[in-house]
Structure formats: structure tokens, C-alpha cells
Amino acid sequence: MSATQPFAFVPTGPGELPAATLDRADRLRTDDAALDALWADARVLLLDAEGRALVDEHGLPAAPRGVELSGGAGGSGMATFLGLAADGQAWFSLDAELAAYTAPGTLDVRSAAAAWPMQEAAAFAQARAMQHWHQRHRHCGACGAHNRVERGGWLRRCGGCGIEHYPRTDPAVIVAVSDGERLLLGRQAGWPAGRYSVIAGFVEPGESLEQAVAREVEEETGLAIARCHYRASQPWPFPGTLMLGFFADAIAGEPRPSDELEDVRWFDVDSIADARRREQAGDDSKAALRLSPSLSISRWLLEQWLLEQWLAERMAAAS
């Protein structure tokens, strides 16, 4: 995993932990005085109303220090505290409209994932997800009164009935389904020509992750699975999903696409390896199979399956 793939956050080997990002420092969220003291020297990510980050002339984050934003309406009390870097510097995010600050341009979070260093891109993903939550929870869902911001931006408390509203993350399963020799991939109608990916869907209330895997595979492909096991997870801030990656073994059969998929089919190792080579050579624009982007967990699962198939072939050849 490279430093320009911050959304992967997946282990690269047994027992390994994801690369370090900000320390979210929950202990400081209730300490308004501490947050105020950190604000002056903090880096502040500024996001426009569409969730794009303000950037400098090089396309990197225009993250001014808090003291540079003193002319605007925002301060630490209006910002979301993102956490502390390894050197102790605080990071906040703030709506750009509250800051008396201009920048040459803006960049969306997906583009930043491919261009920014790990720490900055991960902070942007966190900031975008939090901004989306704040935009949709200005008023209480129980009584309609205004929700005031507390805990460094991580709590909205209703000014009427007092209910506490916390940020939410929507869990979704994403699964690489195999019959032992082939990988099951599907495509949606709006995707680029030839683009296929592994199967995914949201977890429903009252459902375990394993039940969600079995249900989504059956609903989208018509196939039943015999077993599944968890592999890795990935935050997906579009706008606030946690992708939970699985491998699953399918019971024999031919897939059929659901209403959500335009096509679903089995692909063997050679087909996937050829698509991978074409992509690396920049020759996949008209390929029959184009793989999902490298920053996504869908691609990571595919790469892991391909690696395990190659290892199995080598072991079989050596025995």
C-alpha cells in the first residue's frame, strides 16, 4: 500500500496494522480551553459547500494555521477537531464560508486520495464525512429544534429536547466470491465500458455481517455461498460508509444479474491478470475487462484473490 492510497487502510500482511494517520485524541474533545489553545497553530482544512477542499497552486491542501483565519466568523468553536499529528500539531476542518481566506482552487476527496500524502488525504476524508453529517443534522429529528455543536464538532445536542446526536457511519459488505478457480465480478450500467468489480451492498438492520454477505450475493447474482470470512475494512467517505471486505466460496452455479447490475459473470485468473497487465501498460481503454480503481478495497480484494491463486498454482507445481 503506497502513501498515495489513504483510503485502503488495510493490512499488508498477517497481524499488520494500517499506516498511522492523525491521533483523534478523543480526550480533548470535551476540553474547550485546550482546543482554543491549539487553534492558533493548528492546520485547518477548509471545505466548500460541496465538500471540496481549498488547495494551493500545486493542488495540495491550502490548510492555513488557525491564527490566519482570525478575520472570519469561524474559530475552534465552529470547527471540527480532527486530531493531532505525530509532532503534536492539531488539525481542524472548517466550512470555507466561515473563513476570511481565499485559495487558487478546490479538489474533491477522491482526487485527493490519489495525489495527497497519507495524513492529509486521510484527514480530508474524515473532514468530508463529518461535514456531510453536520449539513444533515442542523435540526433535531425528534422535535425539529436547532442542534448546537459540542465536543469539538463530534456531538450535536438538541436545544429543545436535549437529545444527543452523534456522527454515524453506514456499514456495507464487499465480497470477493470465488468458485475455487474463478472470481465473480459484476458491473453497473453507469460505469465506464468494461469496468467490473466485486459484489457489495449495505448491511440491513438486525443483520450480521455474514448474513449481509450471503443476502447481497444472492440478491445481486442469484448464487448461494457456502462460507465467508472477513479480510479487511476501508472507510469510504462518499459520504460516510465503512466497507467491510470478505472472501466467500460460492456453491456451484451460473450467475444472473439483478436489477442493480447490468451484467455479472465469472472471470478466470488469466482474464484478470491480462486486464491488470493492460492497465499497467495504459492499454485498457477498449479492454473487455477493466478493473476497479487501485485506491478501493474492491481492487485490494481482487489483488489478494489473484495473489492467492498464483501461490496455490506454484505450490501445486512444486508438489
Side-chain angles (χ1 to χ4, degrees):
M1 183 176 65
S2 75
T4 56
Q5 294 178 355
F7 299 152
F9 292 142
V10 290
T12 54
E16 291 188 15
L17 295 175
T21 53
L22 295 178
D23 171 7
R24 299 200 176 195
D26 177 78
R27 62 192 179 278
L28 296 177
R29 292 176 182 172
T30 57
D31 191 339
D32 292 340
L35 295 181
D36 286 342
L38 290 169
W39 175 255
D41 289 326
R43 297 286 302 279
V44 184
L45 283 173
L46 299 172
L47 276 59
D48 68 13
E50 302 302 319
R52 297 180 294 257
L54 272 59
V55 296
D56 62 20
E57 62 274 14
H58 304 294
L60 295 174
R65 294 167 60 224
V67 69
E68 299 176 60
L69 305 177
S70 58
S76 65
M78 299 293 291
T80 296
F81 174 59
L82 302 178
L84 302 174
D87 61 3
Q89 185 171 47
W91 282 72
F92 290 80
S93 63
L94 180 69
D95 287 347
E97 63 184 15
L98 299 177
Y101 189 87
T102 58
T106 60
L107 193 69
D108 65 89
V109 69
R110 193 184 298 268
S111 299
W116 289 7
M118 166 74 79
Q119 178 173 276
E120 285 82 349
F124 184 10
Q126 179 187 359
R128 176 64 186 110
M130 289 298 294
Q131 181 197 46
H132 183 269
W133 175 72
H134 279 294
Q135 289 173 335
R136 284 154 180 77
H137 290 81
R138 300 186 190 279
H139 296 88
C140 179
C143 73
H146 179 73
N147 289 325
R148 63 178 181 269
V149 179
E150 298 180 9
R151 296 194 81 248
W154 291 85
L155 166 67
R156 277 186 172 266
R157 189 187 305 276
C158 176
C161 64
I163 288 180
E164 296 180 346
H165 301 272
Y166 289 91
R168 60 171 294 169
T169 296
D170 298 319
V173 293
I174 182 164
V175 52
V177 181
S178 174
D179 67 354
E181 297 180 349
R182 300 175 296 176
L183 188 65
L184 186 65
L185 301 176
R187 64 169 276 105
Q188 295 181 8
W191 289 358
R195 170 71 54 78
Y196 282 79
S197 183
V198 296
I199 308 304
F202 286 101
V203 180
E204 294 187 347
E207 186 175 51
S208 71
L209 298 179
E210 292 79 6
Q211 289 171 329
V213 168
R215 175 183 54 76
E216 283 292 340
V217 172
E218 193 281 327
E219 287 180 356
E220 295 193 9
T221 73
L223 295 179
I225 62 170
R227 63 189 64 82
C228 67
H229 62 277
Y230 170 80
R231 291 300 300 265
S233 65
Q234 176 190 46
W236 195 245
F238 306 106
T241 302
L242 177 64
M243 306 300 297
L244 299 144
F246 284 79
F247 274 13
D249 298 327
I251 297 174
E254 288 303 313
R256 48 137 183 91
S258 67
D259 293 340
E260 297 181 27
L261 297 179
E262 179 183 68
D263 187 31
V264 60
R265 64 179 73 173
W266 293 108
F267 289 89
D268 60 24
V269 171
D270 290 341
S271 297
I272 295 173
D274 180 66
R276 193 170 179 268
R277 284 191 293 268
R278 284 176 174 271
E279 178 189 73
Q280 292 173 344
D283 183 34
D284 68 338
S285 60
K286 297 182 180 179
L289 172 61
R290 299 173 68 186
L291 306 178
S292 50
S294 60
L295 63 82
S296 66
I297 192 173
S298 59
R299 178 60 174 269
W300 186 87
L301 289 168
L302 182 148
E303 295 280 357
Q304 291 296 304
W305 179 83
L306 194 61
L307 176 61
E308 292 185 9
Q309 294 297 112
W310 283 338
L311 290 175
E313 289 178 4
R314 286 190 177 186
M315 291 179 64
S319 62

